[in-house]
């Protein structure tokens, strides 16, 4: 979808303290061989800070950095990959309550780790649908430090998971950057591999059962063969969507300045994502992300904020955003930096 008049008015993040991966190895939380092989150097750990509170902190920063007021918000979307609080509770409205007193709609989106970037497309459509709508707030947050989840042994390649919150303000009137195009797709057949042999009812979370993706992926065939098929299928669609999104923005791969992607510790994994698009790992955020862990829904916005804050992108630069989650959901977007905001390095 080619977008017009959709701008980024503000970005915000909340990143807790970093725990050194070597410390996790010493404590027996992180396998020493995995540490040597996968390249992660640390993970952001929020301890007992609730995920919605990290989202609120990030949103307040995004608002402070923008020219918008909380009363300008016409809708809110909150994305997450993990549970946010009491079962049956509405974390998105908790977040909204702490940011504005407007009675605007607030939705929670679950698209695994592509949820926040996928929400950009939903929000853009919502704003464009009615002329009077002007601004949308999108938040993302997760704290994976729960009793039945070991952030250092997720079970698949992006096997170190960090905690964070992030936020984006979209506007039809104000902004330092433009959302030029965005597209989303699904490889729905891959849900089987991520489900494995687990029954759909009762939900495993209600039984206090931990997540072991290696076990699930191995249940539908050999682990290596299953992972290879997921990577192949997802990679094909991800590349097609990325190139189509660039074309809709009137760009080619050579016009891309930087790429915001899922965080990883391995250059080889990043090459799997970027090589088919004609892009280089040098355009990504390998060293920055490997010290934070995979921040679930937040990687791309944390990465974009870092690029803008540090002055690594400026007016006229194009950023390709590539998000995939749960093997099944993919969103790609193109952002053009129009001006250097006051909160960025000069």
């Amino acid at each position: 979808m080619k977008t017009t008049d959709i701008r980024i008015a503000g970005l915000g993040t909340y990143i807790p303290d970093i725990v050194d991966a070597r410390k996790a190895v010493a404590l027996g939380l992180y396998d020493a061989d995995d540490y040597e092989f996968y390249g992660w150097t640390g993970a952001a750990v929020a301890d007992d800070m609730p995920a919605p509170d990290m989202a609120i902190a990030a949103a307040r920063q995004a608002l402070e950095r923008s020219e918008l007021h909380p009363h300008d918000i016409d809708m809110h979307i909150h994305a997450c990959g993990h549970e946010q609080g009491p079962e049956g509770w509405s974390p998105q409205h908790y977040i909204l309550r702490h940011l504005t007193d407007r009675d605007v709609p607030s939705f929670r989106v679950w698209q695994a780790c592509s949820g926040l970037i996928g929400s950009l497309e939903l929000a853009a459509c919502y704003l464009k649908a009615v002329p009077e709508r002007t601004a949308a707030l999108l938040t993302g947050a997760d704290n994976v430090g729960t009793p039945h989840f070991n952030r250092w042994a997720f079970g698949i390649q992006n096997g170190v998971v960090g905690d964070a919150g992030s936020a984006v303000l979209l506007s039809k009137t104000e902004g330092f950057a433009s959302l030029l195009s965005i597209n989303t797709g699904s490889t729905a057949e891959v849900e089987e591999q991520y489900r494995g042999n687990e029954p759909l009812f009762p939900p495993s979370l209600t039984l206090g059962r931990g997540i072991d993706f290696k076990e699930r992926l191995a249940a539908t065939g050999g682990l290596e063969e299953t992972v290879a098929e997921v990577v192949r299928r997802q990679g094909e669609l991800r590349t097609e969507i990325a190139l189509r999104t660039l074309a809709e923005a009137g760009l080619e791969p050579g016009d891309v300045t930087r790429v915001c992607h899922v965080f990883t510790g391995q250059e080889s994994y990043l090459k799997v994502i970027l090589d088919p698009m004609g892009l280089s790992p040098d355009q990504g955020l390998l060293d920055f992300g490997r010290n934070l862990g995979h921040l679930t829904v937040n990687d791309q916005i944390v990465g974009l904020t870092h690029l803008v804050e540090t002055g690594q992108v400026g007016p006229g630069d194009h950023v390709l955003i590539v998000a995939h989650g749960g093997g099944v959901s993919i969103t790609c977007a193109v952002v053009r930096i129009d001006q250097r905001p006051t909160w960025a390095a000069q």
Side-chain angles (χ1 to χ4, degrees):
M1 178 181 74
K2 183 176 182 178
T3 56
T4 56
D5 300 326
I6 299 295
R7 310 194 72 197
I8 296 178
L11 294 171
T13 63
Y14 179 89
I15 300 175
D17 291 341
I18 307 301
V19 173
D20 194 302
R22 292 170 296 184
K23 180 179 179 181
V25 173
L27 292 173
L29 299 172
Y30 192 20
D31 182 81
D33 290 338
D34 285 351
Y35 167 71
E36 293 292 339
F37 183 75
Y38 286 114
W40 295 103
T41 59
V45 178
D47 293 325
D48 60 356
M49 184 175 186
D53 287 343
M54 289 191 279
I56 291 168
R60 285 174 174 162
Q61 184 181 63
L63 281 163
E64 289 169 1
R65 289 174 164 180
S66 76
E67 297 181 11
L68 300 178
H69 188 276
H71 287 172
D72 295 321
I73 298 171
D74 291 303
M75 66 101 69
H76 167 238
I77 300 177
H78 179 61
C80 57
H82 296 255
E83 289 301 316
Q84 304 284 287
E87 188 176 359
W89 171 66
S90 177
Q92 64 270 31
H93 293 101
Y94 171 87
I95 296 167
L96 184 70
R97 175 191 172 196
H98 283 79
L99 298 172
T100 181
D101 58 5
R102 290 195 67 194
D103 297 328
V104 299
S106 182
F107 302 94
R108 178 164 53 158
V109 166
W110 196 96
Q111 284 289 87
C113 302
S114 68
L116 183 52
I117 302 306
S119 296
L120 292 175
E121 185 169 9
L122 300 179
C125 292
Y126 185 88
L127 292 178
K128 289 164 68 68
V130 177
E132 291 75 21
R133 296 171 182 166
T134 60
L137 172 66
L138 298 92
T139 59
D142 272 313
N143 181 342
V144 303
T146 54
H148 299 290
F149 190 92
N150 180 0
R151 72 175 68 250
W152 303 98
F154 186 44
I156 49 181
Q157 199 282 337
N158 278 21
V160 170
V161 184
D163 306 323
S166 61
V168 189
L169 269 170
L170 292 185
S171 171
K172 293 196 295 190
T173 60
E174 307 288 343
F176 68 92
S178 298
L179 179 65
L180 300 182
S181 56
I182 186 167
N183 287 287
T184 300
S186 301
T187 53
E189 72 276 14
V190 176
E191 67 79 22
E192 179 183 10
Q193 283 89 333
Y194 277 74
R195 172 167 40 92
N197 288 331
E198 289 208 17
L200 300 184
F201 190 86
S204 58
L205 184 67
T206 65
L207 302 176
R209 193 162 63 234
I211 299 175
D212 188 336
F213 277 109
K214 281 186 178 179
E215 180 180 304
R216 292 190 196 176
L217 289 165
T220 56
L223 178 60
E224 292 185 5
E225 293 82 357
T226 301
V227 171
E229 176 57 21
V230 171
V231 169
R232 182 198 65 79
R233 180 69 178 92
Q234 189 176 64
E236 289 176 348
L237 183 60
R238 181 175 56 224
T239 301
E240 187 274 321
I241 291 176
L243 295 178
R244 170 159 45 97
T245 304
L246 283 170
E248 288 178 351
L251 303 173
E252 297 179 353
D255 299 312
V256 174
T257 308
R258 299 296 296 270
V259 184
C260 294
H261 49 80
V262 62
F263 290 158
T264 178
Q266 282 188 316
E267 182 177 353
S268 59
Y269 183 75
L270 191 52
K271 285 175 67 66
V272 167
I273 297 172
L274 300 183
D275 277 0
M277 301 174 189
L279 300 169
S280 165
D282 293 337
Q283 294 171 274
L285 292 154
L286 179 64
D287 289 334
F288 174 69
R290 71 182 358 153
N291 195 46
L292 300 174
H294 168 38
L295 303 178
T296 67
V297 299
N298 302 289
D299 288 346
Q300 291 80 9
I301 296 305
V302 168
L304 179 61
T305 304
H306 172 70
L307 290 176
V308 175
E309 281 178 339
T310 56
Q312 295 183 57
V313 293
D317 287 339
H318 295 98
V319 180
L320 174 65
I321 298 176
V322 180
H324 59 266
V328 295
S329 58
I330 298 166
T331 298
C332 296
V334 175
V335 170
R336 182 187 65 222
I337 309 299
D338 298 319
Q339 61 192 65
R340 198 178 303 277
T342 57
W343 45 271
Q346 301 299 313

